[in-house]
Amino acid sequence: MSKKNKIIIAAIIAILLCSYIGFAIWNVSHTQVDTGIPKNAIPVEIENSHIETIICKINVKGTVELIKSETLFSRTSATVEMVYVKEGDQVTAGQLVAEYDSKVLENLQDQLAEAKLSLKSATLNLKAAQTALAGQDKRKLENAGIAYDKAKLLYEAGAITKQEFENANEAKIDAQEQLDNNLSHISILQVTIEQNELKTSQIEKEIENYTLLEYAPCSGTVLASYIKKGDLVVPGHQLFDIADTSLNNLTITAVVPENEAKNLALSQDVEIRCTAIGQTIFKGRVSKISSIATKKQIGNSQETALTVEIRCEDAPLKAGYTIDATIITKIIENTVVIPLMSTMRDADSHSYVYIMHEDYSVEKRLVELGEYAGIYVEAGNIAEGERTIINPSAQVKEGVFVKPVAIRKPEN
Amino acid sequence: MDMENNEIFTIVEDEVQKMSFIQRLVSLFTAPVKLMQNIKYYPKIAAALLLCMGLSLLTLPFVSKITEITTNMMSEIMLIRYGQDFISFMESTQAAANNPQLSAITTASTTLVLLLSYPLMCVIKTLILFIITKIAKGMATFKQYASMYAHILLIAVLGSIITTSIMAAMGTLLDVSSLAAVFMPSGNFSMIPYNLLASISLFTVLEIILAGIGVKEINGFTNRKAIIVVSIIFILSVAFTTIMAGSSVYMMDLSYKALGYQ
């Protein structure tokens, strides 16, 4: 191949290469121009501000609880002979619920009879001792005294021997000792009588308090039974929990964190959902708000919270159910909202958003945020239809150009 | 027998004159056959490789722009695919980029990567070609192939300088010398056909033609055998580039799921 041909071929190849690259540049540029978006615009997600009615809600979890319940306690020591109700049974006030063994009562009655006999016996003994003391013992002492006085005169006159005088003296001392012994015996008998009286009184009281039968203190459902046949109970032993389980006696208790409590008020509407019942949403109202906030366990953390009671009159709730409640605190109609994800805060804690204009340029604008509604927030200083940039990156600044990107939403 | 071969080799070597480095460079474009014949007897590597490394640094001014374009493109793909802004995840990285010390470290590491990339590319390509031609019973040595690729990579460096500067000027990641620039200019690397077209550029085609000439001249292969060998290399190269580009999106998918998103 001649040098000239080589040069021609090389030139043709070079022209073809340059043409290819030139066409490629034109082709790529043409594609970019068609979209109208400036080169190197930062891709962003855009959402238009829109008019919406904001329903301010507080979502809480709650538990259905009984307003009032009765606990029946044993008043005596006894063995349970029969239990007539079990957990879940319906009872009426005064209904027999349990019966005790009568052996203990019979035993008490025997003890009472025995104590009474002992008391009677002691009383008779005392009487006999007092009679003896008043008659025979005193006379014996007086006679011994007279005999001693006589023996003393005779001994001093030399009419009797010393031995006879000492015998008279001993007889007087014996009479005195006997009298003293009888006095002591009387005292002992008096103490015995007092003891017997106390014992009798105690047994009588036990018999008086003793109840063979236990009755329901109120109408309702037996929530818990703590005894079974053969159990030994003592006074104060817990027997049954009984409560009225109708809606009148049920309330829902929930805790509201302090940061959400500002709009909370009595009689606010509540939407109640309970998985145990189904998907139906029931209506309720806030019936009570605690006057003090306390530390409560909410989720995995301890938070200062208010306890709120909610009354619901049409749901087939049962005590112990867990419910999800939505307290509707405020309704703001027809206001401009923007996505919460588009809002940011500067160093001075001012909220702002980035707005994309028609020419894809970005404007940073301060906004006044109002009430929150799910993923949206009420925004002042924003007109309906303005395009806010969601979750703007650090590259997004006032004056830069952005490229709105259609987000592929997850399929649910 | 060996002595006879050595004598023939010495006689032919005497006939092929030594070329200066400048002559080699000119021959790369004007007389590639002659260059490859010369490489067969005088397989020199250092000068060509050093020139590759030096020229590669010319792309350094465009790196930050290309990085910005890449980040934007990644961000767009992430936004479209997952509804999450990739740039948001990178804010800490960007803040670090504003730090002069970290910026200097980034520039130094980029320079190092650029400098090392061509010698590494030369070694890998040489090794693959060496293995394939050994299977095809080629007689070329590793050094001969290394010398061949050290020269051929000059085309790749030139291509890189031209396309990178155009890409930076146009604000696109699309290689304007690739088939994708003509046939699929609005695609992105989450699309397999786009990755396939983007991996075939004028410069890669030119590289493979030069490699084919080299394989034929150095080994004494027939045209057919040389074409088969370089076709295998080309297919492997295109497949590798396509898979690597596609795998970045696959890795993003995996990372996204691993982070607990759906």
Side-chain angles (χ1 to χ4, degrees), chain A residues 20 23-25 27-29 31-32 39-40 43 393-395 403 405 407-408, chain B residues 65 72 76 79-80 83 85 87 91 169-171 176 178-179 181-182 202:
Chain A
Y20 183 89
F23 175 72
I25 292 169
N27 197 27
V28 174
S29 308
T31 310
Q32 287 182 338
K39 276 193 281 184
N40 293 333
S393 69
Q395 284 190 329
K403 175 184 183 181
V405 171
I407 306 296
R408 194 176 71 185
Chain B
K65 186 68 182 171
N72 279 357
E76 186 174 337
L79 266 174
I80 292 168
D85 186 356
I87 297 171
E91 279 174 10
M170 292 182 69
V176 287
S178 71
L179 293 182
V182 172
L202 295 180

PDB file of all heavy atoms in Angstrom, chain A residues 20 23-25 27-29 31-32 39-40 43 393-395 403 405 407-408, chain B residues 65 72 76 79-80 83 85 87 91 169-171 176 178-179 181-182 202:
ATOM      1  N   TYR A  20     -18.177  10.261  14.798  1.00  0.00           N
ATOM      2  CA  TYR A  20     -18.906   9.437  15.774  1.00  0.00           C
ATOM      3  C   TYR A  20     -19.005  10.167  17.120  1.00  0.00           C
ATOM      4  O   TYR A  20     -20.084  10.290  17.697  1.00  0.00           O
ATOM      5  CB  TYR A  20     -18.196   8.083  15.965  1.00  0.00           C
ATOM      6  CG  TYR A  20     -18.929   7.164  16.909  1.00  0.00           C
ATOM      7  CD1 TYR A  20     -19.901   6.305  16.436  1.00  0.00           C
ATOM      8  CD2 TYR A  20     -18.652   7.174  18.278  1.00  0.00           C
ATOM      9  CE1 TYR A  20     -20.597   5.476  17.297  1.00  0.00           C
ATOM     10  CE2 TYR A  20     -19.335   6.351  19.146  1.00  0.00           C
ATOM     11  CZ  TYR A  20     -20.306   5.488  18.649  1.00  0.00           C
ATOM     12  OH  TYR A  20     -20.989   4.687  19.506  1.00  0.00           O
ATOM     13  N   PHE A  23     -21.236  13.206  16.841  1.00  0.00           N
ATOM     14  CA  PHE A  23     -22.650  12.835  16.842  1.00  0.00           C
ATOM     15  C   PHE A  23     -23.093  12.407  18.245  1.00  0.00           C
ATOM     16  O   PHE A  23     -24.188  12.765  18.701  1.00  0.00           O
ATOM     17  CB  PHE A  23     -22.897  11.696  15.848  1.00  0.00           C
ATOM     18  CG  PHE A  23     -24.310  11.185  15.883  1.00  0.00           C
ATOM     19  CD1 PHE A  23     -25.362  11.940  15.361  1.00  0.00           C
ATOM     20  CD2 PHE A  23     -24.620   9.969  16.484  1.00  0.00           C
ATOM     21  CE1 PHE A  23     -26.668  11.483  15.429  1.00  0.00           C
ATOM     22  CE2 PHE A  23     -25.925   9.514  16.553  1.00  0.00           C
ATOM     23  CZ  PHE A  23     -26.966  10.280  16.013  1.00  0.00           C
ATOM     24  N   ALA A  24     -22.217  11.656  18.907  1.00  0.00           N
ATOM     25  CA  ALA A  24     -22.549  11.190  20.267  1.00  0.00           C
ATOM     26  C   ALA A  24     -22.745  12.373  21.215  1.00  0.00           C
ATOM     27  O   ALA A  24     -23.700  12.400  22.006  1.00  0.00           O
ATOM     28  CB  ALA A  24     -21.438  10.280  20.785  1.00  0.00           C
ATOM     29  N   ILE A  25     -21.859  13.379  21.090  1.00  0.00           N
ATOM     30  CA  ILE A  25     -21.986  14.569  21.941  1.00  0.00           C
ATOM     31  C   ILE A  25     -23.316  15.281  21.655  1.00  0.00           C
ATOM     32  O   ILE A  25     -24.065  15.627  22.569  1.00  0.00           O
ATOM     33  CB  ILE A  25     -20.793  15.533  21.714  1.00  0.00           C
ATOM     34  CG1 ILE A  25     -19.501  14.890  22.249  1.00  0.00           C
ATOM     35  CG2 ILE A  25     -21.026  16.882  22.384  1.00  0.00           C
ATOM     36  CD1 ILE A  25     -18.240  15.632  21.854  1.00  0.00           C
ATOM     37  N   ASN A  27     -25.977  13.980  20.381  1.00  0.00           N
ATOM     38  CA  ASN A  27     -27.068  13.093  20.798  1.00  0.00           C
ATOM     39  C   ASN A  27     -27.321  13.195  22.311  1.00  0.00           C
ATOM     40  O   ASN A  27     -28.459  13.338  22.751  1.00  0.00           O
ATOM     41  CB  ASN A  27     -26.696  11.648  20.426  1.00  0.00           C
ATOM     42  CG  ASN A  27     -27.907  10.728  20.435  1.00  0.00           C
ATOM     43  OD1 ASN A  27     -29.017  11.182  20.220  1.00  0.00           O
ATOM     44  ND2 ASN A  27     -27.679   9.463  20.669  1.00  0.00           N
ATOM     45  N   VAL A  28     -26.232  13.157  23.076  1.00  0.00           N
ATOM     46  CA  VAL A  28     -26.356  13.227  24.547  1.00  0.00           C
ATOM     47  C   VAL A  28     -26.886  14.600  24.952  1.00  0.00           C
ATOM     48  O   VAL A  28     -27.795  14.714  25.792  1.00  0.00           O
ATOM     49  CB  VAL A  28     -24.991  12.935  25.228  1.00  0.00           C
ATOM     50  CG1 VAL A  28     -25.068  13.155  26.725  1.00  0.00           C
ATOM     51  CG2 VAL A  28     -24.564  11.499  24.945  1.00  0.00           C
ATOM     52  N   SER A  29     -26.345  15.668  24.338  1.00  0.00           N
ATOM     53  CA  SER A  29     -26.784  17.020  24.673  1.00  0.00           C
ATOM     54  C   SER A  29     -28.264  17.189  24.342  1.00  0.00           C
ATOM     55  O   SER A  29     -29.024  17.775  25.111  1.00  0.00           O
ATOM     56  CB  SER A  29     -25.993  18.063  23.885  1.00  0.00           C
ATOM     57  OG  SER A  29     -24.634  17.834  24.039  1.00  0.00           O
ATOM     58  N   THR A  31     -30.570  14.971  24.256  1.00  0.00           N
ATOM     59  CA  THR A  31     -31.380  14.236  25.235  1.00  0.00           C
ATOM     60  C   THR A  31     -31.530  15.054  26.513  1.00  0.00           C
ATOM     61  O   THR A  31     -32.602  15.116  27.110  1.00  0.00           O
ATOM     62  CB  THR A  31     -30.711  12.881  25.581  1.00  0.00           C
ATOM     63  OG1 THR A  31     -30.394  12.237  24.367  1.00  0.00           O
ATOM     64  CG2 THR A  31     -31.622  12.011  26.411  1.00  0.00           C
ATOM     65  N   GLN A  32     -30.445  15.697  26.930  1.00  0.00           N
ATOM     66  CA  GLN A  32     -30.489  16.495  28.161  1.00  0.00           C
ATOM     67  C   GLN A  32     -31.373  17.720  27.990  1.00  0.00           C
ATOM     68  O   GLN A  32     -32.137  18.074  28.868  1.00  0.00           O
ATOM     69  CB  GLN A  32     -29.082  16.946  28.556  1.00  0.00           C
ATOM     70  CG  GLN A  32     -28.231  15.814  29.119  1.00  0.00           C
ATOM     71  CD  GLN A  32     -26.872  16.291  29.545  1.00  0.00           C
ATOM     72  OE1 GLN A  32     -26.396  17.323  29.084  1.00  0.00           O
ATOM     73  NE2 GLN A  32     -26.234  15.530  30.405  1.00  0.00           N
ATOM     74  N   LYS A  39     -28.270  21.181  33.549  1.00  0.00           N
ATOM     75  CA  LYS A  39     -27.264  20.123  33.721  1.00  0.00           C
ATOM     76  C   LYS A  39     -26.844  20.023  35.183  1.00  0.00           C
ATOM     77  O   LYS A  39     -26.745  21.035  35.871  1.00  0.00           O
ATOM     78  CB  LYS A  39     -26.028  20.448  32.863  1.00  0.00           C
ATOM     79  CG  LYS A  39     -26.176  19.983  31.427  1.00  0.00           C
ATOM     80  CD  LYS A  39     -24.861  20.035  30.698  1.00  0.00           C
ATOM     81  CE  LYS A  39     -24.544  21.446  30.254  1.00  0.00           C
ATOM     82  NZ  LYS A  39     -23.310  21.519  29.464  1.00  0.00           N
ATOM     83  N   ASN A  40     -26.550  18.861  35.609  1.00  0.00           N
ATOM     84  CA  ASN A  40     -26.071  18.604  36.974  1.00  0.00           C
ATOM     85  C   ASN A  40     -27.031  19.049  38.063  1.00  0.00           C
ATOM     86  O   ASN A  40     -26.621  19.347  39.182  1.00  0.00           O
ATOM     87  CB  ASN A  40     -24.717  19.259  37.217  1.00  0.00           C
ATOM     88  CG  ASN A  40     -23.653  18.627  36.379  1.00  0.00           C
ATOM     89  OD1 ASN A  40     -23.756  17.465  36.011  1.00  0.00           O
ATOM     90  ND2 ASN A  40     -22.645  19.405  36.051  1.00  0.00           N
ATOM     91  N   PRO A  43     -30.803  15.627  41.988  1.00  0.00           N
ATOM     92  CA  PRO A  43     -32.081  14.909  42.011  1.00  0.00           C
ATOM     93  C   PRO A  43     -32.758  15.008  43.385  1.00  0.00           C
ATOM     94  O   PRO A  43     -32.083  14.817  44.413  1.00  0.00           O
ATOM     95  CB  PRO A  43     -31.686  13.463  41.700  1.00  0.00           C
ATOM     96  CG  PRO A  43     -30.241  13.387  41.996  1.00  0.00           C
ATOM     97  CD  PRO A  43     -29.655  14.737  41.842  1.00  0.00           C
ATOM     98  N   SER A 393     -30.988  17.091  50.704  1.00  0.00           N
ATOM     99  CA  SER A 393     -29.625  16.723  51.109  1.00  0.00           C
ATOM    100  C   SER A 393     -28.815  17.984  51.399  1.00  0.00           C
ATOM    101  O   SER A 393     -29.289  19.108  51.187  1.00  0.00           O
ATOM    102  CB  SER A 393     -28.955  15.934  49.995  1.00  0.00           C
ATOM    103  OG  SER A 393     -28.728  16.805  48.917  1.00  0.00           O
ATOM    104  N   ALA A 394     -27.578  17.772  51.828  1.00  0.00           N
ATOM    105  CA  ALA A 394     -26.707  18.910  52.165  1.00  0.00           C
ATOM    106  C   ALA A 394     -26.378  19.738  50.931  1.00  0.00           C
ATOM    107  O   ALA A 394     -26.042  20.915  51.029  1.00  0.00           O
ATOM    108  CB  ALA A 394     -25.430  18.395  52.801  1.00  0.00           C
ATOM    109  N   GLN A 395     -26.499  19.130  49.751  1.00  0.00           N
ATOM    110  CA  GLN A 395     -26.184  19.862  48.519  1.00  0.00           C
ATOM    111  C   GLN A 395     -27.251  20.884  48.159  1.00  0.00           C
ATOM    112  O   GLN A 395     -26.982  21.846  47.455  1.00  0.00           O
ATOM    113  CB  GLN A 395     -26.054  18.869  47.359  1.00  0.00           C
ATOM    114  CG  GLN A 395     -24.750  18.093  47.379  1.00  0.00           C
ATOM    115  CD  GLN A 395     -24.567  17.321  46.082  1.00  0.00           C
ATOM    116  OE1 GLN A 395     -25.534  16.902  45.478  1.00  0.00           O
ATOM    117  NE2 GLN A 395     -23.336  17.156  45.681  1.00  0.00           N
ATOM    118  N   LYS A 403     -33.552  18.541  40.259  1.00  0.00           N
ATOM    119  CA  LYS A 403     -34.238  17.729  39.251  1.00  0.00           C
ATOM    120  C   LYS A 403     -35.255  16.853  39.977  1.00  0.00           C
ATOM    121  O   LYS A 403     -34.867  15.956  40.724  1.00  0.00           O
ATOM    122  CB  LYS A 403     -33.175  16.858  38.567  1.00  0.00           C
ATOM    123  CG  LYS A 403     -33.695  15.863  37.572  1.00  0.00           C
ATOM    124  CD  LYS A 403     -32.493  15.040  37.085  1.00  0.00           C
ATOM    125  CE  LYS A 403     -32.897  14.061  36.029  1.00  0.00           C
ATOM    126  NZ  LYS A 403     -31.749  13.257  35.590  1.00  0.00           N
ATOM    127  N   VAL A 405     -37.573  13.939  40.814  1.00  0.00           N
ATOM    128  CA  VAL A 405     -37.487  12.533  40.411  1.00  0.00           C
ATOM    129  C   VAL A 405     -38.769  11.829  40.827  1.00  0.00           C
ATOM    130  O   VAL A 405     -39.274  12.046  41.928  1.00  0.00           O
ATOM    131  CB  VAL A 405     -36.270  11.873  41.100  1.00  0.00           C
ATOM    132  CG1 VAL A 405     -36.281  10.383  40.868  1.00  0.00           C
ATOM    133  CG2 VAL A 405     -34.996  12.481  40.571  1.00  0.00           C
ATOM    134  N   ILE A 407     -40.573   9.019  42.302  1.00  0.00           N
ATOM    135  CA  ILE A 407     -40.181   7.966  43.240  1.00  0.00           C
ATOM    136  C   ILE A 407     -41.051   6.741  43.013  1.00  0.00           C
ATOM    137  O   ILE A 407     -42.260   6.846  42.867  1.00  0.00           O
ATOM    138  CB  ILE A 407     -40.373   8.447  44.700  1.00  0.00           C
ATOM    139  CG1 ILE A 407     -39.646   9.767  44.925  1.00  0.00           C
ATOM    140  CG2 ILE A 407     -39.935   7.387  45.685  1.00  0.00           C
ATOM    141  CD1 ILE A 407     -38.163   9.692  44.795  1.00  0.00           C
ATOM    142  N   ARG A 408     -40.382   5.602  42.986  1.00  0.00           N
ATOM    143  CA  ARG A 408     -41.149   4.351  42.895  1.00  0.00           C
ATOM    144  C   ARG A 408     -41.612   3.987  44.292  1.00  0.00           C
ATOM    145  O   ARG A 408     -40.818   3.640  45.153  1.00  0.00           O
ATOM    146  CB  ARG A 408     -40.255   3.243  42.339  1.00  0.00           C
ATOM    147  CG  ARG A 408     -41.055   2.026  41.911  1.00  0.00           C
ATOM    148  CD  ARG A 408     -40.162   1.015  41.278  1.00  0.00           C
ATOM    149  NE  ARG A 408     -39.305   0.386  42.270  1.00  0.00           N
ATOM    150  CZ  ARG A 408     -38.345  -0.483  41.962  1.00  0.00           C
ATOM    151  NH1 ARG A 408     -38.109  -0.793  40.730  1.00  0.00           N
ATOM    152  NH2 ARG A 408     -37.607  -1.034  42.914  1.00  0.00           N
TER     153      ARG A 408
ATOM    154  N   LYS B  65     -15.421  16.784  39.518  1.00  0.00           N
ATOM    155  CA  LYS B  65     -16.655  16.999  38.750  1.00  0.00           C
ATOM    156  C   LYS B  65     -17.335  15.665  38.450  1.00  0.00           C
ATOM    157  O   LYS B  65     -18.560  15.520  38.602  1.00  0.00           O
ATOM    158  CB  LYS B  65     -16.295  17.715  37.433  1.00  0.00           C
ATOM    159  CG  LYS B  65     -17.486  18.121  36.603  1.00  0.00           C
ATOM    160  CD  LYS B  65     -18.285  19.219  37.271  1.00  0.00           C
ATOM    161  CE  LYS B  65     -19.506  19.583  36.425  1.00  0.00           C
ATOM    162  NZ  LYS B  65     -20.390  20.493  37.156  1.00  0.00           N
ATOM    163  N   ASN B  72     -24.702  12.450  42.021  1.00  0.00           N
ATOM    164  CA  ASN B  72     -26.047  12.848  41.609  1.00  0.00           C
ATOM    165  C   ASN B  72     -26.791  11.698  40.940  1.00  0.00           C
ATOM    166  O   ASN B  72     -27.970  11.473  41.190  1.00  0.00           O
ATOM    167  CB  ASN B  72     -25.979  14.033  40.646  1.00  0.00           C
ATOM    168  CG  ASN B  72     -25.806  15.342  41.393  1.00  0.00           C
ATOM    169  OD1 ASN B  72     -25.795  15.367  42.617  1.00  0.00           O
ATOM    170  ND2 ASN B  72     -25.645  16.429  40.676  1.00  0.00           N
ATOM    171  N   GLU B  76     -30.072   9.824  42.241  1.00  0.00           N
ATOM    172  CA  GLU B  76     -31.292   9.725  41.443  1.00  0.00           C
ATOM    173  C   GLU B  76     -31.778   8.277  41.376  1.00  0.00           C
ATOM    174  O   GLU B  76     -32.964   7.999  41.558  1.00  0.00           O
ATOM    175  CB  GLU B  76     -31.005  10.259  40.027  1.00  0.00           C
ATOM    176  CG  GLU B  76     -32.257  10.335  39.182  1.00  0.00           C
ATOM    177  CD  GLU B  76     -32.001  10.987  37.843  1.00  0.00           C
ATOM    178  OE1 GLU B  76     -31.009  11.743  37.736  1.00  0.00           O
ATOM    179  OE2 GLU B  76     -32.786  10.751  36.920  1.00  0.00           O
ATOM    180  N   LEU B  79     -33.174   7.340  44.709  1.00  0.00           N
ATOM    181  CA  LEU B  79     -34.482   7.966  44.914  1.00  0.00           C
ATOM    182  C   LEU B  79     -35.562   7.224  44.138  1.00  0.00           C
ATOM    183  O   LEU B  79     -36.640   6.948  44.672  1.00  0.00           O
ATOM    184  CB  LEU B  79     -34.441   9.418  44.443  1.00  0.00           C
ATOM    185  CG  LEU B  79     -34.120  10.485  45.493  1.00  0.00           C
ATOM    186  CD1 LEU B  79     -33.979  11.832  44.839  1.00  0.00           C
ATOM    187  CD2 LEU B  79     -35.185  10.546  46.563  1.00  0.00           C
ATOM    188  N   ILE B  80     -35.242   6.912  42.884  1.00  0.00           N
ATOM    189  CA  ILE B  80     -36.245   6.245  42.034  1.00  0.00           C
ATOM    190  C   ILE B  80     -36.528   4.833  42.556  1.00  0.00           C
ATOM    191  O   ILE B  80     -37.668   4.417  42.682  1.00  0.00           O
ATOM    192  CB  ILE B  80     -35.772   6.208  40.570  1.00  0.00           C
ATOM    193  CG1 ILE B  80     -35.765   7.636  40.004  1.00  0.00           C
ATOM    194  CG2 ILE B  80     -36.669   5.307  39.728  1.00  0.00           C
ATOM    195  CD1 ILE B  80     -35.055   7.785  38.684  1.00  0.00           C
ATOM    196  N   GLY B  83     -36.824   5.451  47.059  1.00  0.00           N
ATOM    197  CA  GLY B  83     -37.441   6.606  47.707  1.00  0.00           C
ATOM    198  C   GLY B  83     -36.560   7.189  48.794  1.00  0.00           C
ATOM    199  O   GLY B  83     -37.020   7.910  49.676  1.00  0.00           O
ATOM    200  N   ASP B  85     -32.859   9.313  49.585  1.00  0.00           N
ATOM    201  CA  ASP B  85     -31.854  10.145  48.942  1.00  0.00           C
ATOM    202  C   ASP B  85     -30.459   9.683  49.350  1.00  0.00           C
ATOM    203  O   ASP B  85     -30.082   9.777  50.511  1.00  0.00           O
ATOM    204  CB  ASP B  85     -32.081  11.605  49.350  1.00  0.00           C
ATOM    205  CG  ASP B  85     -31.165  12.545  48.591  1.00  0.00           C
ATOM    206  OD1 ASP B  85     -30.325  12.047  47.827  1.00  0.00           O
ATOM    207  OD2 ASP B  85     -31.311  13.755  48.769  1.00  0.00           O
ATOM    208  N   ILE B  87     -27.665  11.013  48.704  1.00  0.00           N
ATOM    209  CA  ILE B  87     -26.800  12.118  49.141  1.00  0.00           C
ATOM    210  C   ILE B  87     -27.000  12.382  50.636  1.00  0.00           C
ATOM    211  O   ILE B  87     -26.066  12.732  51.346  1.00  0.00           O
ATOM    212  CB  ILE B  87     -27.066  13.381  48.307  1.00  0.00           C
ATOM    213  CG1 ILE B  87     -26.722  13.103  46.853  1.00  0.00           C
ATOM    214  CG2 ILE B  87     -26.239  14.553  48.803  1.00  0.00           C
ATOM    215  CD1 ILE B  87     -27.139  14.179  45.891  1.00  0.00           C
ATOM    216  N   GLU B  91     -23.964  12.928  53.728  1.00  0.00           N
ATOM    217  CA  GLU B  91     -23.731  14.279  54.220  1.00  0.00           C
ATOM    218  C   GLU B  91     -22.464  14.386  55.054  1.00  0.00           C
ATOM    219  O   GLU B  91     -21.720  15.353  54.960  1.00  0.00           O
ATOM    220  CB  GLU B  91     -24.945  14.767  55.007  1.00  0.00           C
ATOM    221  CG  GLU B  91     -26.022  15.263  54.059  1.00  0.00           C
ATOM    222  CD  GLU B  91     -27.303  15.636  54.752  1.00  0.00           C
ATOM    223  OE1 GLU B  91     -27.292  15.679  55.983  1.00  0.00           O
ATOM    224  OE2 GLU B  91     -28.276  15.902  54.058  1.00  0.00           O
ATOM    225  N   ALA B 169     -17.370  18.353  30.977  1.00  0.00           N
ATOM    226  CA  ALA B 169     -17.923  19.559  30.352  1.00  0.00           C
ATOM    227  C   ALA B 169     -19.427  19.417  30.134  1.00  0.00           C
ATOM    228  O   ALA B 169     -20.184  20.376  30.301  1.00  0.00           O
ATOM    229  CB  ALA B 169     -17.217  19.819  29.033  1.00  0.00           C
ATOM    230  N   MET B 170     -19.852  18.215  29.774  1.00  0.00           N
ATOM    231  CA  MET B 170     -21.272  18.010  29.474  1.00  0.00           C
ATOM    232  C   MET B 170     -22.095  17.684  30.726  1.00  0.00           C
ATOM    233  O   MET B 170     -23.321  17.686  30.683  1.00  0.00           O
ATOM    234  CB  MET B 170     -21.424  16.856  28.475  1.00  0.00           C
ATOM    235  CG  MET B 170     -20.881  17.180  27.107  1.00  0.00           C
ATOM    236  SD  MET B 170     -21.133  15.812  25.980  1.00  0.00           S
ATOM    237  CE  MET B 170     -22.893  15.842  25.795  1.00  0.00           C
ATOM    238  N   GLY B 171     -21.397  17.371  31.778  1.00  0.00           N
ATOM    239  CA  GLY B 171     -22.112  17.021  33.017  1.00  0.00           C
ATOM    240  C   GLY B 171     -22.816  15.688  32.908  1.00  0.00           C
ATOM    241  O   GLY B 171     -23.937  15.513  33.374  1.00  0.00           O
ATOM    242  N   VAL B 176     -18.810   9.396  25.737  1.00  0.00           N
ATOM    243  CA  VAL B 176     -19.301   9.788  24.410  1.00  0.00           C
ATOM    244  C   VAL B 176     -18.694   8.946  23.292  1.00  0.00           C
ATOM    245  O   VAL B 176     -19.154   9.011  22.155  1.00  0.00           O
ATOM    246  CB  VAL B 176     -19.043  11.293  24.125  1.00  0.00           C
ATOM    247  CG1 VAL B 176     -19.969  12.160  24.938  1.00  0.00           C
ATOM    248  CG2 VAL B 176     -17.593  11.644  24.351  1.00  0.00           C
ATOM    249  N   SER B 178     -18.663   5.731  23.466  1.00  0.00           N
ATOM    250  CA  SER B 178     -19.270   4.394  23.580  1.00  0.00           C
ATOM    251  C   SER B 178     -20.503   4.278  22.705  1.00  0.00           C
ATOM    252  O   SER B 178     -21.056   5.283  22.234  1.00  0.00           O
ATOM    253  CB  SER B 178     -19.654   4.124  25.037  1.00  0.00           C
ATOM    254  OG  SER B 178     -20.758   4.917  25.378  1.00  0.00           O
ATOM    255  N   LEU B 179     -20.950   3.055  22.497  1.00  0.00           N
ATOM    256  CA  LEU B 179     -22.149   2.820  21.682  1.00  0.00           C
ATOM    257  C   LEU B 179     -23.393   3.382  22.381  1.00  0.00           C
ATOM    258  O   LEU B 179     -24.338   3.800  21.734  1.00  0.00           O
ATOM    259  CB  LEU B 179     -22.326   1.314  21.448  1.00  0.00           C
ATOM    260  CG  LEU B 179     -21.265   0.616  20.586  1.00  0.00           C
ATOM    261  CD1 LEU B 179     -21.617  -0.852  20.409  1.00  0.00           C
ATOM    262  CD2 LEU B 179     -21.147   1.282  19.220  1.00  0.00           C
ATOM    263  N   ALA B 181     -23.757   6.134  23.894  1.00  0.00           N
ATOM    264  CA  ALA B 181     -23.940   7.560  23.605  1.00  0.00           C
ATOM    265  C   ALA B 181     -24.775   7.761  22.351  1.00  0.00           C
ATOM    266  O   ALA B 181     -25.455   8.774  22.217  1.00  0.00           O
ATOM    267  CB  ALA B 181     -22.588   8.236  23.454  1.00  0.00           C
ATOM    268  N   VAL B 182     -24.736   6.798  21.446  1.00  0.00           N
ATOM    269  CA  VAL B 182     -25.499   6.921  20.203  1.00  0.00           C
ATOM    270  C   VAL B 182     -26.839   6.201  20.306  1.00  0.00           C
ATOM    271  O   VAL B 182     -27.873   6.721  19.918  1.00  0.00           O
ATOM    272  CB  VAL B 182     -24.669   6.352  19.017  1.00  0.00           C
ATOM    273  CG1 VAL B 182     -25.517   6.281  17.747  1.00  0.00           C
ATOM    274  CG2 VAL B 182     -23.441   7.215  18.786  1.00  0.00           C
ATOM    275  N   LEU B 202     -15.118   3.352  21.243  1.00  0.00           N
ATOM    276  CA  LEU B 202     -14.178   3.385  20.110  1.00  0.00           C
ATOM    277  C   LEU B 202     -12.772   3.011  20.575  1.00  0.00           C
ATOM    278  O   LEU B 202     -12.047   2.305  19.877  1.00  0.00           O
ATOM    279  CB  LEU B 202     -14.154   4.791  19.503  1.00  0.00           C
ATOM    280  CG  LEU B 202     -15.458   5.274  18.857  1.00  0.00           C
ATOM    281  CD1 LEU B 202     -15.259   6.674  18.306  1.00  0.00           C
ATOM    282  CD2 LEU B 202     -15.869   4.327  17.727  1.00  0.00           C
TER     283      LEU B 202
END
